[in-house]
Amino acid sequence: MANKVIIPEDHRFAYEQAIRLAGAQIVSVQTPDELSSALGTGEVAMVCLLGRNEGSSSLPLDTLLASAHAAGVPVLINAAGLSPANPDRWIGRGADLVVYAGGKYIRGPQSTAIVLGRRKLCEAMWWNSAPHQAFGRSMKVGKEEAIGAVVALDRWINSAAAEKERDGWRPRLQRIAVHLHDIAGVETKILSWAGSVTAIRLKVSWDKSAIPLDAEGLRLALLRQRPRILIHDFWSTPTSIILDPINLSDDEADTVGRALSAIFVRSQEFATSAQVPPAETDVTGRWQVEVSFLHGASEHRIELRQHGTDVTGIHQTATSHGRVVGKILGSQIELEAEHEATPIHLFYRFKGKVGSDGSIVGTAGFGGAVPEHRGPVFKGQYGPGTWRATRIAINQLGATPAGDGVISEGRKC
């Protein structure tokens, strides 16, 4: 059985496990020649493109469609975060299937999706899903939810009320921007994103010298206020956030604007100004780390180098390794290890206290994030754990480990 799915390198996305769950292997290509070579094996079941990346890709739909169809391979567009239209832009350009989320812009039930395209492929999905006793039964969507998705789709495309709602997005963003207009060091810009991304958004950026807050500090400050306001950490930078209008009413947009204004004006009150304590110990050396998850445990190795309160190093698990950055303030230590992987980077975040016996005990968090989602939400999305570290070698590291950065000693992890 053909079990390969081609995804161009610049279309890779964080939810590819939805493809791998069926037993498929992802094949990443970068050029038309690599695409032709992969298609020529006879092992390819599908080509998948990420709709919102298509406009900037080196292998857009129009470039690869003829090759895929010549090989008898269907092309699927992942348009989960986009919105459907009638006629559909992707099917009109020759794609075989396009998938939209039911619970995003069209506001259907969260568990639903809408698949449009070639009739036989859509029917094959239905025969392999509930109510039939096939592979898709494990991902059953209720009948009530299916009807809800159909009604939401009809409303999105045909209802004047839905069109009016979309027309209200820009005025809501302008309501927020008005509250920030006269604050020194703060700028706003409405982003009409290129391609097929649906919603316009508001970028709020600030001068760190005038507003001594980073994006995470702003997010936490908004959560401490009343009413509590939650902004996501998608697309954030240290000195900017992006706001989405689709979940707000006009009055709520004013509430958000007033809350942001109040925090920016009083930013000195929210900034961390506590005196930084010096490190009480030096953690330079090699450490054996036992990480306990909600179920099960594993052994890792960390090699650290300390300069004042700054800590850097390498973290190694049984299957990957990554760079470590962190701080030690007094006896409290915080480390973050980033393991580069495709399509998402893995993150291990360690907090702990150096004990009198020299060991470190504390809590851990695990997650994965693509570059645009590198905030605390995604970095902790795989849940919590605990860790205990014991130093196995004290040495002043003069250089990072040679070669690929893997720790040469103690490979059993």
Side-chain angles (χ1 to χ4, degrees), residues 51-124:
R52 62 186 176 84
N53 283 12
E54 204 259 348
S56 60
S57 172
S58 61
L59 285 172
L61 176 63
D62 298 337
T63 298
L64 57 77
L65 192 63
S67 298
H69 284 174
V73 174
V75 177
L76 176 143
I77 306 296
N78 170 11
L82 310 181
S83 69
N86 186 21
D88 186 81
R89 63 173 70 95
W90 304 106
I91 301 303
R93 291 174 56 194
D96 299 281
L97 293 168
V98 57
V99 182
Y100 296 99
K104 294 187 184 293
Y105 293 110
I106 72 170
R107 301 194 178 192
Q110 280 291 315
S111 64
T112 61
I114 293 160
V115 187
L116 308 175
R118 283 172 47 190
R119 184 180 184 90
K120 286 188 176 181
L121 290 175
C122 291
E123 286 183 346

Side-chain angles (χ1 to χ4, degrees), residues 51-53 78-85 88-90 98-101 103-107 156-157 162-163 165-170 173 190-202 235 243-246:
R52 62 186 176 84
N53 283 12
N78 170 11
L82 310 181
S83 69
D88 186 81
R89 63 173 70 95
W90 304 106
V98 57
V99 182
Y100 296 99
K104 294 187 184 293
Y105 293 110
I106 72 170
R107 301 194 178 192
W156 178 263
I157 292 176
E163 184 176 355
E165 181 180 312
R166 295 193 288 274
D167 290 342
W169 290 347
R170 181 176 293 272
L173 296 180
I190 292 180
L191 304 175
S192 297
W193 284 10
S196 50
V197 174
T198 301
I200 59 175
R201 298 181 172 97
L202 181 70
W235 314 297
L243 303 176
D244 197 319
I246 66 172

